[in-house]
Amino acid sequence: MGHTLMSFVIVIGILVFIHELGHFLAARACGVGVKVFSLGFGPKILKKIVGSTEYCISAIPLGGYVKMVGEEPGAVLAPEDKPLSFSHKSLPQKSLIVAAGPLCNFFLAILIFYVLYQFSGLYLISPKVGKVLENTPAASAEIQPGDVIRSVNGIEVKSFDELPPLVNESKGRELKVIIDRGGEKLAINIRPVLSQSKNIFGETIEKYVIGIVGTRESYHVALNPVQAFSHSLKSTWELIELTILSVVKMVSGSVSAKNLGGPIMIAQMAGEQAKAGIMDFAWFIALLSVNLGIINLFPIPVLDGGHLLFFAIEGIMRRPVNEKLREKLAQAGVVVLMTLMIFVFYNDIVRMFSQ
């Protein structure tokens, strides 16, 4: 229990710090005064004033905040504070300050992946055939276990994971496959067939297959700094796409909202990943960092995305959104977030007692 709690605190602490640091650094770069930089909400446990900013750690470790000078529209300010006021900055500057939090979460994921790829490289699944399924195109083409797939239609295959997309892209057209059988190169023509399977969301999908299963043998590939950076960008982008797709599917109802998890689930997973090793724990932090960045960009008032939406409307209409309307929408946003929090806590509790 103590290990799980400590892992949770470390994960949340890193994610919140990076997110709020983004807001803080962007505010300072734009000449906005920062009154408070807090990790956590509620009563302040530790605090220290440096310059004009109070840095503190608060009791509830489920978030954080940066309180800026003139953050609230219509706030009464002393004349000397106006140059430091958030509300008195240009629309691009305010948008940058708000967007900097989620952007820093994405940057953290890129940084983590870069370090992992730079020091551990890639572990690719060998494109070796482990099993040929009966009554499939691969069986008809006399592909054998132990054959190594070298290319498909002239495209080099370095990993077994590269095969399914290449086969599916054929749309049933004949493929020219080069295999290595005991050191001898053979060219085989094979026509994929349509088959049903389950995707990662449990949905039934149709895709083209040839009927082979890999051995799951892996081999190591070292990466130079440029390759590591390229792979870190790719991995972060894939996580962003997957997270957005998951949200869309939950909203559409094709994936159950029961899969949503809250603090309890995060704590359990953090503990499990920490026990698995530093690399798994770092990957988990990158995953959550991307999730946090995307969630904060949702166009819900009180979230960063809600503020950006108001700024976009202001840019189009050439005037700020009515203050009373903003207050009402902000209240509605709080209700939505509280409802969501209650729901994920409920999911966590049900999941915990059903294990």
Side-chain angles (χ1 to χ4, degrees), residues 127-133 136-149 151-152 160 163 175-181 186-191 210-213:
K128 181 187 290 187
V129 179
K131 181 179 180 182
V132 179
L133 303 180
T136 61
S140 300
E142 298 184 347
I143 291 180
Q144 302 174 9
D147 289 347
V148 179
I149 310 296
S151 69
V152 175
F160 197 89
L163 278 171
L175 297 172
K176 182 178 180 180
V177 180
I178 303 298
I179 65 171
D180 185 327
R181 180 177 295 167
L186 301 173
I188 296 176
N189 293 324
I190 186 168
R191 187 179 297 276
I210 58 175
I212 60 174
V213 179

PDB file of all heavy atoms in Angstrom, residues 127-133 136-149 151-152 160 163 175-181 186-191 210-213:
ATOM      1  N   PRO A 127      10.662 -10.783 -38.097  1.00  0.00           N
ATOM      2  CA  PRO A 127       9.638 -11.134 -39.090  1.00  0.00           C
ATOM      3  C   PRO A 127       9.707 -12.611 -39.491  1.00  0.00           C
ATOM      4  O   PRO A 127       9.575 -12.956 -40.671  1.00  0.00           O
ATOM      5  CB  PRO A 127       9.984 -10.211 -40.261  1.00  0.00           C
ATOM      6  CG  PRO A 127      11.451 -10.005 -40.169  1.00  0.00           C
ATOM      7  CD  PRO A 127      11.778 -10.013 -38.697  1.00  0.00           C
ATOM      8  N   LYS A 128       9.935 -13.459 -38.502  1.00  0.00           N
ATOM      9  CA  LYS A 128      10.035 -14.897 -38.755  1.00  0.00           C
ATOM     10  C   LYS A 128       8.670 -15.551 -38.550  1.00  0.00           C
ATOM     11  O   LYS A 128       7.958 -15.228 -37.597  1.00  0.00           O
ATOM     12  CB  LYS A 128      11.068 -15.543 -37.826  1.00  0.00           C
ATOM     13  CG  LYS A 128      11.256 -17.047 -38.051  1.00  0.00           C
ATOM     14  CD  LYS A 128      12.150 -17.678 -36.999  1.00  0.00           C
ATOM     15  CE  LYS A 128      13.592 -17.228 -37.175  1.00  0.00           C
ATOM     16  NZ  LYS A 128      14.488 -17.980 -36.244  1.00  0.00           N
ATOM     17  N   VAL A 129       8.328 -16.466 -39.415  1.00  0.00           N
ATOM     18  CA  VAL A 129       7.049 -17.173 -39.335  1.00  0.00           C
ATOM     19  C   VAL A 129       7.132 -18.254 -38.261  1.00  0.00           C
ATOM     20  O   VAL A 129       8.017 -19.118 -38.303  1.00  0.00           O
ATOM     21  CB  VAL A 129       6.674 -17.805 -40.694  1.00  0.00           C
ATOM     22  CG1 VAL A 129       5.352 -18.564 -40.580  1.00  0.00           C
ATOM     23  CG2 VAL A 129       6.597 -16.738 -41.768  1.00  0.00           C
ATOM     24  N   GLY A 130       6.229 -18.194 -37.287  1.00  0.00           N
ATOM     25  CA  GLY A 130       6.207 -19.212 -36.244  1.00  0.00           C
ATOM     26  C   GLY A 130       5.191 -20.299 -36.523  1.00  0.00           C
ATOM     27  O   GLY A 130       5.388 -21.464 -36.186  1.00  0.00           O
ATOM     28  N   LYS A 131       4.087 -19.912 -37.189  1.00  0.00           N
ATOM     29  CA  LYS A 131       3.018 -20.867 -37.462  1.00  0.00           C
ATOM     30  C   LYS A 131       2.269 -20.435 -38.715  1.00  0.00           C
ATOM     31  O   LYS A 131       2.033 -19.236 -38.917  1.00  0.00           O
ATOM     32  CB  LYS A 131       2.068 -20.941 -36.262  1.00  0.00           C
ATOM     33  CG  LYS A 131       0.930 -21.923 -36.415  1.00  0.00           C
ATOM     34  CD  LYS A 131       0.061 -21.922 -35.157  1.00  0.00           C
ATOM     35  CE  LYS A 131      -1.104 -22.906 -35.293  1.00  0.00           C
ATOM     36  NZ  LYS A 131      -1.985 -22.878 -34.088  1.00  0.00           N
ATOM     37  N   VAL A 132       1.891 -21.394 -39.537  1.00  0.00           N
ATOM     38  CA  VAL A 132       1.067 -21.127 -40.719  1.00  0.00           C
ATOM     39  C   VAL A 132      -0.308 -21.739 -40.471  1.00  0.00           C
ATOM     40  O   VAL A 132      -0.424 -22.952 -40.221  1.00  0.00           O
ATOM     41  CB  VAL A 132       1.694 -21.739 -41.997  1.00  0.00           C
ATOM     42  CG1 VAL A 132       0.797 -21.474 -43.200  1.00  0.00           C
ATOM     43  CG2 VAL A 132       3.094 -21.174 -42.227  1.00  0.00           C
ATOM     44  N   LEU A 133      -1.345 -20.910 -40.522  1.00  0.00           N
ATOM     45  CA  LEU A 133      -2.703 -21.384 -40.246  1.00  0.00           C
ATOM     46  C   LEU A 133      -3.239 -22.183 -41.430  1.00  0.00           C
ATOM     47  O   LEU A 133      -2.926 -21.887 -42.595  1.00  0.00           O
ATOM     48  CB  LEU A 133      -3.623 -20.196 -39.960  1.00  0.00           C
ATOM     49  CG  LEU A 133      -3.190 -19.281 -38.794  1.00  0.00           C
ATOM     50  CD1 LEU A 133      -4.181 -18.156 -38.607  1.00  0.00           C
ATOM     51  CD2 LEU A 133      -3.036 -20.083 -37.504  1.00  0.00           C
ATOM     52  N   THR A 136      -5.390 -21.173 -45.431  1.00  0.00           N
ATOM     53  CA  THR A 136      -5.160 -19.731 -45.593  1.00  0.00           C
ATOM     54  C   THR A 136      -4.272 -19.511 -46.818  1.00  0.00           C
ATOM     55  O   THR A 136      -3.653 -20.457 -47.331  1.00  0.00           O
ATOM     56  CB  THR A 136      -4.456 -19.146 -44.358  1.00  0.00           C
ATOM     57  OG1 THR A 136      -3.173 -19.783 -44.191  1.00  0.00           O
ATOM     58  CG2 THR A 136      -5.287 -19.340 -43.097  1.00  0.00           C
ATOM     59  N   PRO A 137      -4.198 -18.267 -47.305  1.00  0.00           N
ATOM     60  CA  PRO A 137      -3.319 -17.982 -48.445  1.00  0.00           C
ATOM     61  C   PRO A 137      -1.869 -18.389 -48.195  1.00  0.00           C
ATOM     62  O   PRO A 137      -1.191 -18.865 -49.109  1.00  0.00           O
ATOM     63  CB  PRO A 137      -3.452 -16.468 -48.605  1.00  0.00           C
ATOM     64  CG  PRO A 137      -4.814 -16.160 -48.088  1.00  0.00           C
ATOM     65  CD  PRO A 137      -5.002 -17.095 -46.937  1.00  0.00           C
ATOM     66  N   ALA A 138      -1.391 -18.221 -46.957  1.00  0.00           N
ATOM     67  CA  ALA A 138      -0.007 -18.589 -46.645  1.00  0.00           C
ATOM     68  C   ALA A 138       0.203 -20.088 -46.788  1.00  0.00           C
ATOM     69  O   ALA A 138       1.245 -20.543 -47.296  1.00  0.00           O
ATOM     70  CB  ALA A 138       0.347 -18.139 -45.226  1.00  0.00           C
ATOM     71  N   ALA A 139      -0.794 -20.881 -46.379  1.00  0.00           N
ATOM     72  CA  ALA A 139      -0.689 -22.337 -46.509  1.00  0.00           C
ATOM     73  C   ALA A 139      -0.703 -22.741 -47.978  1.00  0.00           C
ATOM     74  O   ALA A 139       0.067 -23.613 -48.412  1.00  0.00           O
ATOM     75  CB  ALA A 139      -1.833 -23.006 -45.764  1.00  0.00           C
ATOM     76  N   SER A 140      -1.574 -22.076 -48.764  1.00  0.00           N
ATOM     77  CA  SER A 140      -1.656 -22.377 -50.198  1.00  0.00           C
ATOM     78  C   SER A 140      -0.360 -22.007 -50.917  1.00  0.00           C
ATOM     79  O   SER A 140       0.037 -22.663 -51.881  1.00  0.00           O
ATOM     80  CB  SER A 140      -2.836 -21.626 -50.830  1.00  0.00           C
ATOM     81  OG  SER A 140      -4.052 -22.004 -50.220  1.00  0.00           O
ATOM     82  N   ALA A 141       0.295 -20.934 -50.445  1.00  0.00           N
ATOM     83  CA  ALA A 141       1.551 -20.493 -51.060  1.00  0.00           C
ATOM     84  C   ALA A 141       2.755 -21.266 -50.532  1.00  0.00           C
ATOM     85  O   ALA A 141       3.893 -20.995 -50.918  1.00  0.00           O
ATOM     86  CB  ALA A 141       1.747 -19.001 -50.813  1.00  0.00           C
ATOM     87  N   GLU A 142       2.502 -22.229 -49.644  1.00  0.00           N
ATOM     88  CA  GLU A 142       3.529 -23.113 -49.086  1.00  0.00           C
ATOM     89  C   GLU A 142       4.592 -22.366 -48.273  1.00  0.00           C
ATOM     90  O   GLU A 142       5.773 -22.719 -48.265  1.00  0.00           O
ATOM     91  CB  GLU A 142       4.194 -23.949 -50.195  1.00  0.00           C
ATOM     92  CG  GLU A 142       3.208 -24.860 -50.905  1.00  0.00           C
ATOM     93  CD  GLU A 142       3.866 -25.763 -51.948  1.00  0.00           C
ATOM     94  OE1 GLU A 142       5.038 -25.504 -52.295  1.00  0.00           O
ATOM     95  OE2 GLU A 142       3.217 -26.719 -52.380  1.00  0.00           O
ATOM     96  N   ILE A 143       4.161 -21.307 -47.614  1.00  0.00           N
ATOM     97  CA  ILE A 143       5.039 -20.657 -46.639  1.00  0.00           C
ATOM     98  C   ILE A 143       5.201 -21.605 -45.462  1.00  0.00           C
ATOM     99  O   ILE A 143       4.246 -22.266 -45.036  1.00  0.00           O
ATOM    100  CB  ILE A 143       4.459 -19.305 -46.191  1.00  0.00           C
ATOM    101  CG1 ILE A 143       4.527 -18.309 -47.352  1.00  0.00           C
ATOM    102  CG2 ILE A 143       5.209 -18.746 -44.983  1.00  0.00           C
ATOM    103  CD1 ILE A 143       3.973 -16.932 -47.018  1.00  0.00           C
ATOM    104  N   GLN A 144       6.392 -21.676 -44.885  1.00  0.00           N
ATOM    105  CA  GLN A 144       6.685 -22.643 -43.837  1.00  0.00           C
ATOM    106  C   GLN A 144       7.154 -21.954 -42.555  1.00  0.00           C
ATOM    107  O   GLN A 144       7.738 -20.856 -42.615  1.00  0.00           O
ATOM    108  CB  GLN A 144       7.785 -23.611 -44.303  1.00  0.00           C
ATOM    109  CG  GLN A 144       7.449 -24.374 -45.563  1.00  0.00           C
ATOM    110  CD  GLN A 144       8.624 -25.198 -46.058  1.00  0.00           C
ATOM    111  OE1 GLN A 144       9.649 -25.331 -45.375  1.00  0.00           O
ATOM    112  NE2 GLN A 144       8.486 -25.758 -47.255  1.00  0.00           N
ATOM    113  N   PRO A 145       6.911 -22.591 -41.402  1.00  0.00           N
ATOM    114  CA  PRO A 145       7.470 -22.061 -40.146  1.00  0.00           C
ATOM    115  C   PRO A 145       8.988 -21.961 -40.261  1.00  0.00           C
ATOM    116  O   PRO A 145       9.637 -22.860 -40.793  1.00  0.00           O
ATOM    117  CB  PRO A 145       7.062 -23.108 -39.108  1.00  0.00           C
ATOM    118  CG  PRO A 145       5.823 -23.726 -39.678  1.00  0.00           C
ATOM    119  CD  PRO A 145       6.049 -23.766 -41.159  1.00  0.00           C
ATOM    120  N   GLY A 146       9.549 -20.861 -39.793  1.00  0.00           N
ATOM    121  CA  GLY A 146      10.982 -20.637 -39.898  1.00  0.00           C
ATOM    122  C   GLY A 146      11.344 -19.707 -41.033  1.00  0.00           C
ATOM    123  O   GLY A 146      12.455 -19.152 -41.055  1.00  0.00           O
ATOM    124  N   ASP A 147      10.437 -19.552 -42.013  1.00  0.00           N
ATOM    125  CA  ASP A 147      10.673 -18.585 -43.093  1.00  0.00           C
ATOM    126  C   ASP A 147      10.734 -17.180 -42.508  1.00  0.00           C
ATOM    127  O   ASP A 147       9.991 -16.842 -41.580  1.00  0.00           O
ATOM    128  CB  ASP A 147       9.549 -18.633 -44.133  1.00  0.00           C
ATOM    129  CG  ASP A 147       9.591 -19.902 -44.974  1.00  0.00           C
ATOM    130  OD1 ASP A 147      10.608 -20.613 -44.915  1.00  0.00           O
ATOM    131  OD2 ASP A 147       8.597 -20.169 -45.677  1.00  0.00           O
ATOM    132  N   VAL A 148      11.616 -16.359 -43.061  1.00  0.00           N
ATOM    133  CA  VAL A 148      11.743 -14.974 -42.615  1.00  0.00           C
ATOM    134  C   VAL A 148      11.254 -14.053 -43.740  1.00  0.00           C
ATOM    135  O   VAL A 148      11.756 -14.130 -44.865  1.00  0.00           O
ATOM    136  CB  VAL A 148      13.202 -14.626 -42.249  1.00  0.00           C
ATOM    137  CG1 VAL A 148      13.299 -13.160 -41.805  1.00  0.00           C
ATOM    138  CG2 VAL A 148      13.705 -15.553 -41.140  1.00  0.00           C
ATOM    139  N   ILE A 149      10.267 -13.222 -43.450  1.00  0.00           N
ATOM    140  CA  ILE A 149       9.729 -12.290 -44.444  1.00  0.00           C
ATOM    141  C   ILE A 149      10.707 -11.129 -44.596  1.00  0.00           C
ATOM    142  O   ILE A 149      10.980 -10.405 -43.635  1.00  0.00           O
ATOM    143  CB  ILE A 149       8.353 -11.749 -44.019  1.00  0.00           C
ATOM    144  CG1 ILE A 149       7.419 -12.891 -43.604  1.00  0.00           C
ATOM    145  CG2 ILE A 149       7.746 -10.909 -45.134  1.00  0.00           C
ATOM    146  CD1 ILE A 149       7.080 -13.857 -44.695  1.00  0.00           C
ATOM    147  N   SER A 151      10.600  -8.820 -47.541  1.00  0.00           N
ATOM    148  CA  SER A 151       9.959  -7.658 -48.160  1.00  0.00           C
ATOM    149  C   SER A 151       8.575  -8.024 -48.668  1.00  0.00           C
ATOM    150  O   SER A 151       8.276  -9.202 -48.921  1.00  0.00           O
ATOM    151  CB  SER A 151      10.815  -7.107 -49.299  1.00  0.00           C
ATOM    152  OG  SER A 151      10.838  -7.999 -50.392  1.00  0.00           O
ATOM    153  N   VAL A 152       7.733  -6.997 -48.801  1.00  0.00           N
ATOM    154  CA  VAL A 152       6.390  -7.146 -49.368  1.00  0.00           C
ATOM    155  C   VAL A 152       6.215  -6.062 -50.421  1.00  0.00           C
ATOM    156  O   VAL A 152       6.282  -4.873 -50.104  1.00  0.00           O
ATOM    157  CB  VAL A 152       5.302  -7.011 -48.280  1.00  0.00           C
ATOM    158  CG1 VAL A 152       3.909  -7.045 -48.910  1.00  0.00           C
ATOM    159  CG2 VAL A 152       5.439  -8.115 -47.238  1.00  0.00           C
ATOM    160  N   PHE A 160       7.929  -8.019 -37.511  1.00  0.00           N
ATOM    161  CA  PHE A 160       6.673  -8.706 -37.814  1.00  0.00           C
ATOM    162  C   PHE A 160       5.485  -7.752 -37.667  1.00  0.00           C
ATOM    163  O   PHE A 160       4.470  -7.906 -38.352  1.00  0.00           O
ATOM    164  CB  PHE A 160       6.491  -9.909 -36.874  1.00  0.00           C
ATOM    165  CG  PHE A 160       5.465 -10.894 -37.361  1.00  0.00           C
ATOM    166  CD1 PHE A 160       5.839 -11.940 -38.194  1.00  0.00           C
ATOM    167  CD2 PHE A 160       4.124 -10.767 -37.006  1.00  0.00           C
ATOM    168  CE1 PHE A 160       4.882 -12.841 -38.663  1.00  0.00           C
ATOM    169  CE2 PHE A 160       3.174 -11.662 -37.472  1.00  0.00           C
ATOM    170  CZ  PHE A 160       3.553 -12.707 -38.304  1.00  0.00           C
ATOM    171  N   LEU A 163       4.073  -6.167 -40.856  1.00  0.00           N
ATOM    172  CA  LEU A 163       3.378  -6.979 -41.847  1.00  0.00           C
ATOM    173  C   LEU A 163       1.868  -6.715 -41.935  1.00  0.00           C
ATOM    174  O   LEU A 163       1.347  -6.526 -43.052  1.00  0.00           O
ATOM    175  CB  LEU A 163       3.623  -8.461 -41.571  1.00  0.00           C
ATOM    176  CG  LEU A 163       4.938  -9.040 -42.086  1.00  0.00           C
ATOM    177  CD1 LEU A 163       5.151 -10.442 -41.549  1.00  0.00           C
ATOM    178  CD2 LEU A 163       4.945  -9.045 -43.601  1.00  0.00           C
ATOM    179  N   LEU A 175       0.139  -9.974 -53.607  1.00  0.00           N
ATOM    180  CA  LEU A 175       1.375  -9.417 -53.067  1.00  0.00           C
ATOM    181  C   LEU A 175       2.563 -10.257 -53.515  1.00  0.00           C
ATOM    182  O   LEU A 175       2.468 -11.489 -53.616  1.00  0.00           O
ATOM    183  CB  LEU A 175       1.333  -9.405 -51.530  1.00  0.00           C
ATOM    184  CG  LEU A 175       0.254  -8.551 -50.853  1.00  0.00           C
ATOM    185  CD1 LEU A 175       0.251  -8.825 -49.355  1.00  0.00           C
ATOM    186  CD2 LEU A 175       0.482  -7.070 -51.117  1.00  0.00           C
ATOM    187  N   LYS A 176       3.673  -9.584 -53.768  1.00  0.00           N
ATOM    188  CA  LYS A 176       4.922 -10.294 -54.039  1.00  0.00           C
ATOM    189  C   LYS A 176       5.747 -10.275 -52.756  1.00  0.00           C
ATOM    190  O   LYS A 176       6.204  -9.218 -52.311  1.00  0.00           O
ATOM    191  CB  LYS A 176       5.695  -9.629 -55.176  1.00  0.00           C
ATOM    192  CG  LYS A 176       6.982 -10.373 -55.530  1.00  0.00           C
ATOM    193  CD  LYS A 176       7.716  -9.727 -56.685  1.00  0.00           C
ATOM    194  CE  LYS A 176       8.982 -10.500 -57.016  1.00  0.00           C
ATOM    195  NZ  LYS A 176       9.723  -9.884 -58.152  1.00  0.00           N
ATOM    196  N   VAL A 177       5.925 -11.424 -52.165  1.00  0.00           N
ATOM    197  CA  VAL A 177       6.608 -11.541 -50.873  1.00  0.00           C
ATOM    198  C   VAL A 177       7.956 -12.242 -51.073  1.00  0.00           C
ATOM    199  O   VAL A 177       8.018 -13.321 -51.675  1.00  0.00           O
ATOM    200  CB  VAL A 177       5.750 -12.335 -49.864  1.00  0.00           C
ATOM    201  CG1 VAL A 177       6.476 -12.455 -48.528  1.00  0.00           C
ATOM    202  CG2 VAL A 177       4.394 -11.671 -49.685  1.00  0.00           C
ATOM    203  N   ILE A 178       9.011 -11.614 -50.582  1.00  0.00           N
ATOM    204  CA  ILE A 178      10.343 -12.224 -50.608  1.00  0.00           C
ATOM    205  C   ILE A 178      10.614 -12.812 -49.233  1.00  0.00           C
ATOM    206  O   ILE A 178      10.530 -12.116 -48.219  1.00  0.00           O
ATOM    207  CB  ILE A 178      11.443 -11.200 -50.961  1.00  0.00           C
ATOM    208  CG1 ILE A 178      11.142 -10.528 -52.301  1.00  0.00           C
ATOM    209  CG2 ILE A 178      12.806 -11.877 -50.983  1.00  0.00           C
ATOM    210  CD1 ILE A 178      11.114 -11.474 -53.485  1.00  0.00           C
ATOM    211  N   ILE A 179      10.932 -14.110 -49.205  1.00  0.00           N
ATOM    212  CA  ILE A 179      11.220 -14.772 -47.932  1.00  0.00           C
ATOM    213  C   ILE A 179      12.641 -15.327 -47.954  1.00  0.00           C
ATOM    214  O   ILE A 179      13.225 -15.572 -49.017  1.00  0.00           O
ATOM    215  CB  ILE A 179      10.217 -15.905 -47.628  1.00  0.00           C
ATOM    216  CG1 ILE A 179      10.357 -17.028 -48.658  1.00  0.00           C
ATOM    217  CG2 ILE A 179       8.797 -15.367 -47.580  1.00  0.00           C
ATOM    218  CD1 ILE A 179       9.561 -18.270 -48.296  1.00  0.00           C
ATOM    219  N   ASP A 180      13.165 -15.529 -46.748  1.00  0.00           N
ATOM    220  CA  ASP A 180      14.479 -16.145 -46.568  1.00  0.00           C
ATOM    221  C   ASP A 180      14.242 -17.504 -45.930  1.00  0.00           C
ATOM    222  O   ASP A 180      13.753 -17.585 -44.797  1.00  0.00           O
ATOM    223  CB  ASP A 180      15.345 -15.257 -45.671  1.00  0.00           C
ATOM    224  CG  ASP A 180      16.774 -15.785 -45.533  1.00  0.00           C
ATOM    225  OD1 ASP A 180      16.950 -17.016 -45.550  1.00  0.00           O
ATOM    226  OD2 ASP A 180      17.691 -14.960 -45.388  1.00  0.00           O
ATOM    227  N   ARG A 181      14.566 -18.542 -46.665  1.00  0.00           N
ATOM    228  CA  ARG A 181      14.377 -19.907 -46.148  1.00  0.00           C
ATOM    229  C   ARG A 181      15.740 -20.598 -46.082  1.00  0.00           C
ATOM    230  O   ARG A 181      16.281 -21.035 -47.102  1.00  0.00           O
ATOM    231  CB  ARG A 181      13.413 -20.693 -47.034  1.00  0.00           C
ATOM    232  CG  ARG A 181      13.153 -22.124 -46.563  1.00  0.00           C
ATOM    233  CD  ARG A 181      12.132 -22.805 -47.437  1.00  0.00           C
ATOM    234  NE  ARG A 181      10.827 -22.170 -47.325  1.00  0.00           N
ATOM    235  CZ  ARG A 181       9.815 -22.420 -48.174  1.00  0.00           C
ATOM    236  NH1 ARG A 181       9.988 -23.263 -49.193  1.00  0.00           N
ATOM    237  NH2 ARG A 181       8.649 -21.810 -48.006  1.00  0.00           N
ATOM    238  N   LEU A 186      13.517 -16.572 -51.702  1.00  0.00           N
ATOM    239  CA  LEU A 186      12.445 -17.070 -52.552  1.00  0.00           C
ATOM    240  C   LEU A 186      11.394 -15.984 -52.752  1.00  0.00           C
ATOM    241  O   LEU A 186      11.083 -15.242 -51.819  1.00  0.00           O
ATOM    242  CB  LEU A 186      11.782 -18.302 -51.928  1.00  0.00           C
ATOM    243  CG  LEU A 186      12.684 -19.515 -51.648  1.00  0.00           C
ATOM    244  CD1 LEU A 186      11.905 -20.577 -50.887  1.00  0.00           C
ATOM    245  CD2 LEU A 186      13.226 -20.082 -52.957  1.00  0.00           C
ATOM    246  N   ALA A 187      10.846 -15.890 -53.952  1.00  0.00           N
ATOM    247  CA  ALA A 187       9.771 -14.940 -54.256  1.00  0.00           C
ATOM    248  C   ALA A 187       8.456 -15.705 -54.321  1.00  0.00           C
ATOM    249  O   ALA A 187       8.334 -16.698 -55.055  1.00  0.00           O
ATOM    250  CB  ALA A 187      10.042 -14.230 -55.570  1.00  0.00           C
ATOM    251  N   ILE A 188       7.475 -15.260 -53.547  1.00  0.00           N
ATOM    252  CA  ILE A 188       6.181 -15.928 -53.485  1.00  0.00           C
ATOM    253  C   ILE A 188       5.073 -14.918 -53.757  1.00  0.00           C
ATOM    254  O   ILE A 188       5.055 -13.818 -53.165  1.00  0.00           O
ATOM    255  CB  ILE A 188       5.962 -16.584 -52.102  1.00  0.00           C
ATOM    256  CG1 ILE A 188       6.988 -17.692 -51.875  1.00  0.00           C
ATOM    257  CG2 ILE A 188       4.552 -17.131 -51.967  1.00  0.00           C
ATOM    258  CD1 ILE A 188       6.905 -18.329 -50.507  1.00  0.00           C
ATOM    259  N   ASN A 189       4.145 -15.284 -54.636  1.00  0.00           N
ATOM    260  CA  ASN A 189       2.962 -14.450 -54.870  1.00  0.00           C
ATOM    261  C   ASN A 189       1.819 -14.968 -54.004  1.00  0.00           C
ATOM    262  O   ASN A 189       1.553 -16.179 -53.976  1.00  0.00           O
ATOM    263  CB  ASN A 189       2.563 -14.484 -56.346  1.00  0.00           C
ATOM    264  CG  ASN A 189       3.599 -13.816 -57.234  1.00  0.00           C
ATOM    265  OD1 ASN A 189       4.211 -12.826 -56.839  1.00  0.00           O
ATOM    266  ND2 ASN A 189       3.812 -14.356 -58.422  1.00  0.00           N
ATOM    267  N   ILE A 190       1.174 -14.050 -53.308  1.00  0.00           N
ATOM    268  CA  ILE A 190       0.128 -14.452 -52.360  1.00  0.00           C
ATOM    269  C   ILE A 190      -0.980 -13.419 -52.353  1.00  0.00           C
ATOM    270  O   ILE A 190      -0.711 -12.214 -52.380  1.00  0.00           O
ATOM    271  CB  ILE A 190       0.743 -14.642 -50.950  1.00  0.00           C
ATOM    272  CG1 ILE A 190      -0.264 -15.202 -49.974  1.00  0.00           C
ATOM    273  CG2 ILE A 190       1.355 -13.350 -50.432  1.00  0.00           C
ATOM    274  CD1 ILE A 190       0.376 -15.680 -48.677  1.00  0.00           C
ATOM    275  N   ARG A 191      -2.228 -13.886 -52.339  1.00  0.00           N
ATOM    276  CA  ARG A 191      -3.381 -12.985 -52.371  1.00  0.00           C
ATOM    277  C   ARG A 191      -4.098 -13.025 -51.010  1.00  0.00           C
ATOM    278  O   ARG A 191      -4.674 -14.054 -50.642  1.00  0.00           O
ATOM    279  CB  ARG A 191      -4.349 -13.387 -53.479  1.00  0.00           C
ATOM    280  CG  ARG A 191      -5.492 -12.378 -53.679  1.00  0.00           C
ATOM    281  CD  ARG A 191      -6.414 -12.817 -54.824  1.00  0.00           C
ATOM    282  NE  ARG A 191      -5.709 -12.854 -56.093  1.00  0.00           N
ATOM    283  CZ  ARG A 191      -5.536 -11.789 -56.868  1.00  0.00           C
ATOM    284  NH1 ARG A 191      -6.019 -10.602 -56.474  1.00  0.00           N
ATOM    285  NH2 ARG A 191      -4.892 -11.892 -58.008  1.00  0.00           N
ATOM    286  N   ILE A 210      -3.007 -13.000 -44.403  1.00  0.00           N
ATOM    287  CA  ILE A 210      -2.469 -14.116 -45.212  1.00  0.00           C
ATOM    288  C   ILE A 210      -2.386 -15.403 -44.397  1.00  0.00           C
ATOM    289  O   ILE A 210      -2.163 -16.472 -44.957  1.00  0.00           O
ATOM    290  CB  ILE A 210      -1.095 -13.778 -45.812  1.00  0.00           C
ATOM    291  CG1 ILE A 210      -0.082 -13.430 -44.713  1.00  0.00           C
ATOM    292  CG2 ILE A 210      -1.227 -12.630 -46.805  1.00  0.00           C
ATOM    293  CD1 ILE A 210       1.340 -13.194 -45.253  1.00  0.00           C
ATOM    294  N   GLY A 211      -2.569 -15.284 -43.055  1.00  0.00           N
ATOM    295  CA  GLY A 211      -2.656 -16.500 -42.247  1.00  0.00           C
ATOM    296  C   GLY A 211      -1.365 -16.998 -41.640  1.00  0.00           C
ATOM    297  O   GLY A 211      -1.101 -18.204 -41.625  1.00  0.00           O
ATOM    298  N   ILE A 212      -0.522 -16.071 -41.151  1.00  0.00           N
ATOM    299  CA  ILE A 212       0.702 -16.499 -40.463  1.00  0.00           C
ATOM    300  C   ILE A 212       0.753 -15.871 -39.071  1.00  0.00           C
ATOM    301  O   ILE A 212       0.158 -14.818 -38.828  1.00  0.00           O
ATOM    302  CB  ILE A 212       1.982 -16.132 -41.244  1.00  0.00           C
ATOM    303  CG1 ILE A 212       2.075 -14.609 -41.444  1.00  0.00           C
ATOM    304  CG2 ILE A 212       2.033 -16.872 -42.566  1.00  0.00           C
ATOM    305  CD1 ILE A 212       3.380 -14.154 -42.090  1.00  0.00           C
ATOM    306  N   VAL A 213       1.473 -16.548 -38.184  1.00  0.00           N
ATOM    307  CA  VAL A 213       1.681 -16.060 -36.814  1.00  0.00           C
ATOM    308  C   VAL A 213       3.184 -15.986 -36.580  1.00  0.00           C
ATOM    309  O   VAL A 213       3.934 -16.882 -36.992  1.00  0.00           O
ATOM    310  CB  VAL A 213       1.031 -17.009 -35.775  1.00  0.00           C
ATOM    311  CG1 VAL A 213       1.284 -16.500 -34.357  1.00  0.00           C
ATOM    312  CG2 VAL A 213      -0.463 -17.140 -36.044  1.00  0.00           C
TER     313      VAL A 213
END
